[in-house]
Amino acid sequence: MTSERVTEAPEEGYERGLGSRQVQMIAIGGAIGVGLFLKAGANIEKAGPSLILMYALAGVIIFFIMRALGELLLYRPVSGSFADYSREFLGPFFGYFTAWTYWLMWVVTGMAELTAAAIYINYWFPSVPQWVTALVFLVILFGVNLISVKLFGELEFWFSMVKVTALIGMIVIGLGVLTFGFSAAGDTASVSNLWQFDGFFPKGIGSSLMTLQGVMFAYLAVELVGVTAGESENPEKTLPKAINTLPWRIGLFYVGALTVILCVVKWTEFTEGVSPFVKAFAMIGIPAGAGIVNFVVLTAALSSCNSGMYSTGRMLRTLADNGEAPRAFSKLSASKTPALGITVSVLFMGIGVVLNYVVPEKAFGYVTSVATAAGIWTWLMILVSHVLYRRAVDAGRLPASSFPAPGGAVCSYIAIAFLLFVTGLIAYDADSRVCLYVMAVWAVALGIGWLFLKNRTPEVADRREPELEQVG
């Protein structure tokens, strides 16, 4: 049953420059990133073919999260949505904490993507230092984000188009190798590769479950469609469509692509630090195939970094509008972009360039674990806000959304339990546990900042009702 009412935030000053075509491709591109193209190699080494099941399981949970977000977005579409809903349903401190943590997630994700892009460039130019490549890409994408949201949307559209087209092409070629046996890998390509080498769970179920933390990193950014709400031309139509197509995107691009790759090439051939897609095409022996795939995974990294710059600037503006960051961040440039917020975020992303200079071999691992922890917090806040929103709707205090999540709040409870389980896995793993220490320091810093804010401007701690208006 749909609501007759769609609510939205008052005009935020952004240009509604993202059309349906761009929002759809941003949503698709958000589900295809460096977590699949690069980090999957390390996860295959740990879990073997069972990694396919881990991606499928995590994909179901991601869909639950996105349907919860979708219901909130159609109740009140607003740029910087996660923080706004946390502020509305949990209180001002949680809105403040979530906005700053989502900003941190994208800053460190940007570092990871710059690192990955530098690694891919090394495939062609091994003599070029990683930090130089990372710096060049940082400056180029910074310029794109300052110009206009339309240019960001257009660049993201074509980045996503390259990824989607290439992945479909990889799947088709892989199926051709399996069916007709052509190429250097044709003699050994077989569906039986999924269980022939020590079974479907070659390292045990426990080892497979430990890859869930890496798998969840691969899904970071699917929620980016929520940040575009304030700049979408027609959010009540484009957002539900973008969210409802998520299952087939996950099924095709993650589960499907990995299944085909692991059928064509046995899992024991894949190692950490090498893209499984580049490796598979090198073994298939298609002329220039590995180089083409390397170009595709490079665009995936640049796409995610581009999205990070877009998102961080808007989160800083949300914070400034609520008195939780310097007021200067609330100003828009002549092209209606939060230029100062983007600039400051890019300067922090520059830390990734330094990491690539100091510890190039460890930079990717350091930043991805922190990004995952920050992303889990964001997803938890979406889910908890959704549960509280449903309670308010059931009690008649708030209007129903025109895009209700199936099963009500039940799926949100399941997703919350899953995310807490993944957090436990992170705490158990000595290598990734460091990100929880980083998050603990981050929480203390934000807590001190909140106390300072409350003392200086007590009104920031007041719970405020959102301003709603009827549309259409």
Side-chain angles (χ1 to χ4, degrees), residues 359-444:
V359 282
E361 71 285 349
K362 295 182 178 179
F364 188 74
Y366 284 158
V367 293
T368 55
S369 62
V370 174
T372 302
I376 287 174
W377 173 267
T378 301
W379 291 334
L380 281 171
M381 290 301 98
I382 291 171
L383 294 166
V384 173
S385 296
H386 177 249
V387 168
L388 295 175
Y389 166 70
R390 288 303 296 243
R391 287 182 186 174
V393 171
D394 292 343
R397 296 193 303 273
L398 288 175
S401 170
S402 61
F403 188 48
V410 174
C411 292
S412 289
Y413 281 118
I414 294 170
I416 289 169
F418 179 86
L419 292 178
L420 293 176
F421 173 68
V422 173
T423 304
L425 293 177
I426 292 173
Y428 179 77
D429 182 29
D431 290 334
S432 59
R433 192 184 303 148
V434 65
C435 75
L436 298 181
Y437 301 142
V438 172
M439 291 305 296
V441 173
W442 176 252
V444 170

Side-chain angles (χ1 to χ4, degrees), residues 26-27 30-31 62 65-66 69 73 81-82 102 105-106 109 216-217 219-229 239 243 246 249 307 311 315 371 374-376 378-379 382:
I26 287 170
I62 290 296
I65 295 169
M66 290 303 294
L69 176 59
L73 285 171
S81 54
F82 328 117
Y102 194 65
M105 186 200 93
W106 270 114
T109 298
M216 296 310 289
F217 172 77
Y219 286 124
L220 290 184
V222 293
E223 76 293 322
L224 182 65
V225 69
V227 183
T228 69
L239 296 178
I243 291 169
L246 187 64
R249 284 185 269 129
S307 297
S311 182
M315 273 296 160
I376 287 174
T378 301
W379 291 334
I382 291 171

